[in-house]
Amino acid sequence: MSCFSAADESAHYGFSVCMLLEQYRDQLVWADGGVDELGTGDATAIADVVRTIPGLRVRSYDISASSVELARANIAARGVADRYTVEVGDFFDQADSAGGDQAATVISNPPYVPAPDRDILMPELWGGVRGNDLVLQLLKTGYDNVITAVASYSDPETSVRTAQDLGYRVVNFLAMGLDFGPYSNEPKVRAHIDRLCAEGRAWAGDEGYMVAIALFSRNPDLPGDRADQLLRSLQL
């Protein structure tokens, strides 16, 4: 299993997480309980966030042992191994464990490439038939606050409406346009994205798509409900 890396997407993820954690520091209470993370990747984006924000602690889980090895090296190189820990394992097993400690906030840039099946160039990037399987699963784990990527070609409306049904509001988000890369531009994937767009379950342009890092919250102390703004920002 290899470790996916995309500089522009990683930078957007890290910058957005940093801004949201800083802006809503008191309400997200991460100074007390830290932050959990689904999927570590190479850890560079969030390691830089941890280095930037004093007192932030992140506990991350990744199913790929090779990714965890690389992540730990990158974390150590940035001098934040005492505040950013990574474990090999299934995040959802930990979240479902009766004895597991759960922070109030979870962050994630999960795989979101939609395709009919996992038989694509990099199967680790498969997010299910509509691309949002992990986002939907993450929203159902019971965290008060979820900071996650929402891609325009991965049935974002279902993700947002499911969040609303679960009691979440979109407090805020940061959206960015991205070019199709080699994995989303694979003919099998692009044809599937085109079908999702035709069905009204996705938005994408000829050359790219939008991705937003959004803060979903059930905390009544956090103001705002920008769900419709988020969906409009993803439409191409």
Side-chain angles (χ1 to χ4, degrees), residues 205-216:
D206 293 335
E207 303 296 332
Y209 62 103
M210 299 292 295
V211 64
I213 309 301
L215 167 57
F216 297 88

Side-chain angles (χ1 to χ4, degrees), residues 137-155:
Q137 193 173 357
L138 183 59
L139 289 166
K140 295 174 183 177
T141 53
Y143 285 86
D144 288 336
N145 312 294
V146 177
I147 298 176
T148 187
V150 180
S152 66
Y153 60 42
S154 303
D155 197 7

